Amino acid sequence: MNYILADNQELTCIALQSLLKDDEQNTVFHATDKAGLMELLREHEDAVVILDYTLFDFIDEEQLLIVSERFAMTTWVLLSDELTEQFLSKVVYSSHVFSVVFKDEPVKVLRDALHSISDGRRYLSQRATEKIIAHQQEEVKTTVLTSTEMAILRAVAQGKTTKEIAAERFSSIHTINTHRKNIFHKLGVNTAHEAVKYAIRAGWVDPSEFYI
């Protein structure tokens, strides 16, 4: 496999190179900034990028996601000392190409991540998973839907149209549309699909029972 180390810590790069060279078939490249990384990706689109986001010159997570979409065959391992819960949730839920490991975790965790990626599976360390769940729980605490809004959200999850929901609730289409707008605003989403995904993550609806 081709690996690109996108990390500006020399000791980290030496350690990663040693780890990756355990398999003589691996080829390891090194990028010191985003421009260099983009150049390497154009030559090796199927590479695995091991990135310390906190040390690299990405403006924000949106720019990182744009790059990942541009190079759709690339797989990413985010390897940093610390990443915020909000950042992790945004990146992990936006794309399945990102795995996450923290630098102070045991080497075995990184090895497990690399093995998972070689098998075509994403890897999230336990610590990363816990941070994402904590962020979800905090979002749920600060998001309060009324009983009517929750019922309408469940109906939306079942795939019912606004007209069908209005008929069932003996309400006007205008009233249901107003409730939908309020739900979207409270959840910080723009579409019904995003609202249902949010509800499933929050545990408000069972994904096995509802339509997406």
Side-chain angles (χ1 to χ4, degrees):
M1 297 183 68
N2 293 321
Y3 290 89
I4 300 175
L5 304 183
D7 192 312
N8 291 320
Q9 288 183 331
E10 186 176 2
L11 286 177
T12 300
C13 288
I14 292 173
L16 288 172
Q17 285 176 335
S18 176
L19 177 65
L20 296 172
K21 286 297 186 179
D22 285 347
D23 186 340
E24 295 181 356
Q25 294 182 339
N26 291 336
T27 304
V28 183
F29 303 94
H30 186 210
T32 58
D33 56 24
K34 182 167 65 69
L37 174 59
M38 297 285 284
E39 184 176 346
L40 285 171
L41 286 176
R42 281 189 284 269
E43 298 175 3
H44 310 283
E45 291 191 28
D46 61 344
V48 176
V49 177
I50 301 180
L51 169 71
D52 188 335
Y53 174 81
T54 61
L55 296 180
F56 239 59
D57 55 339
F58 282 100
I59 296 174
D60 53 25
E61 65 267 25
E62 291 293 342
Q63 189 178 67
L64 175 60
L65 288 169
I66 289 171
V67 172
S68 71
E69 290 174 2
R70 177 177 176 183
F71 299 98
M73 296 175 60
T74 304
T75 306
W76 302 73
V77 180
L78 300 179
L79 181 67
S80 298
D81 288 319
E82 190 61 47
L83 293 167
T84 67
E85 296 170 355
Q86 182 176 355
F87 170 86
L88 285 173
S89 296
K90 172 72 173 179
V91 172
V92 167
Y93 283 122
S94 296
S95 175
H96 290 284
V97 300
F98 289 96
S99 295
V100 183
V101 176
F102 291 96
K103 285 187 174 179
D104 59 354
E105 294 186 284
V107 174
K108 180 183 181 301
V109 177
L110 180 56
R111 288 186 185 275
D112 289 344
L114 296 176
H115 288 155
S116 294
I117 291 169
S118 65
D119 291 336
R121 295 178 287 111
R122 179 173 50 189
Y123 183 92
L124 301 176
S125 73
Q126 181 176 346
R127 179 176 163 193
T129 302
E130 290 173 351
K131 289 174 75 70
I132 293 169
I133 291 174
H135 182 68
Q136 292 175 348
Q137 293 174 339
E138 187 61 30
E139 279 189 328
V140 172
K141 289 179 183 178
T142 58
T143 302
V144 180
L145 298 184
T146 66
S147 58
T148 297
E149 290 169 343
M150 188 66 75
I152 291 173
L153 178 57
R154 288 177 178 273
V156 170
Q158 290 174 321
K160 295 178 181 178
T161 65
T162 300
K163 184 177 180 180
E164 290 172 334
I165 298 171
E168 288 182 355
R169 299 187 63 82
F170 303 101
S171 299
S172 69
I173 292 177
H174 173 74
T175 298
I176 300 302
N177 277 331
T178 299
H179 282 306
R180 283 169 60 102
K181 290 178 181 178
N182 290 338
I183 292 169
F184 290 2
H185 176 73
K186 288 183 177 181
L187 300 186
V189 300
N190 299 298
T191 67
H193 182 74
E194 292 176 351
V196 174
K197 285 176 63 178
Y198 185 107
I200 290 174
R201 293 199 304 267
W204 296 339
V205 299
D206 185 341
S208 65
E209 299 178 5
F210 294 88
Y211 168 82
I212 300 180

